[in-house]
Amino acid sequence: MKFGTREDIEAPIEFVFEQMTDFKAIERAAMRRGAEVQRVDKLTQKGTGMMWDAAFELRGKTREIKLELTEYDPPNGLVMASRSAGLGGKMTAELVALSRTRTRVTMDVELEPKNLTAKLLVQSLKLAKKSLMNRLNERMAAYSKEIERRYKQTA
């Protein structure tokens, strides 16, 4: 199952990439939403190989996943791979400078079921794809506005 979103942000590409790779802030935001997130690698700088263990509630069950930053190309984008019991995934974020102060962010998510239980989960998500897309678009729009707000504070 694949889905994605795209948003234009009124901020330079370098600033947007820095905000999107502020992993400590992203961890805190996930924890505020009820997820448990723990960094498990020993890297001292941002880059390929960063890893996290996470747990969150989805459809009434606790889901545990492992996340790994598999591609890191400042300021053009990144790829995160996820693994859980029966389900693999990949999130790709691509950034394109439209001008000196405007950046287009394209986010694509791909889920790949590995067993019957995961296939059933993905099938139920396909049935709810329209509402999932609406929620993803709303969150991406809100995140984009937050990045714009932060940029205006620094300018």
Side-chain angles (χ1 to χ4, degrees):
M1 176 179 172
K2 296 180 183 180
F3 52 98
T5 188
R6 179 178 72 194
E7 196 72 35
D8 292 350
I9 301 173
E10 294 292 332
I13 190 170
E14 293 82 7
F15 184 85
V16 174
F17 187 82
E18 185 60 36
Q19 294 297 303
M20 290 184 69
T21 58
D22 184 352
F23 297 116
K24 289 185 182 194
I26 294 168
E27 289 171 23
R28 288 190 303 272
M31 287 188 255
R32 281 193 299 273
R33 292 179 181 258
E36 295 177 29
V37 181
Q38 182 174 359
R39 178 122 175 244
V40 293
D41 65 82
K42 302 288 187 224
L43 298 176
T44 57
Q45 293 188 354
K46 294 180 192 176
T48 302
M50 295 176 75
M51 298 173 72
W52 296 264
D53 285 341
F56 55 92
E57 291 285 322
L58 177 67
R59 299 200 176 245
K61 288 183 73 177
T62 299
R63 312 288 177 167
E64 294 180 0
I65 63 171
K66 294 186 178 297
L67 296 164
E68 181 178 359
L69 184 61
T70 57
E71 294 179 34
Y72 184 76
D73 180 23
N76 304 306
L78 58 95
V79 177
M80 300 276 301
S82 65
R83 294 182 316 276
S84 68
L87 189 63
K90 181 169 82 169
M91 187 275 304
T92 304
E94 293 181 7
L95 286 72
V96 176
L98 301 175
S99 71
R100 287 185 327 122
T101 59
R102 189 170 179 86
T103 304
R104 175 164 292 157
V105 177
T106 304
M107 181 111 28
D108 294 310
V109 177
E110 184 176 350
L111 299 176
E112 186 178 327
K114 306 284 187 194
N115 61 26
L116 182 61
T117 304
K119 285 180 184 178
L120 293 172
L121 173 65
V122 169
Q123 191 63 35
S124 72
L125 294 175
K126 283 182 182 178
L127 294 173
K129 189 170 184 176
K130 185 175 181 179
S131 67
L132 280 173
M133 286 301 305
N134 288 339
R135 283 177 40 197
L136 179 63
N137 289 333
E138 288 171 8
R139 286 201 178 152
M140 186 64 179
Y143 186 57
S144 298
K145 295 295 180 208
E146 176 63 18
I147 290 173
E148 289 176 358
R149 184 190 65 73
R150 291 177 193 165
Y151 176 68
K152 287 177 185 172
Q153 285 181 337
T154 65

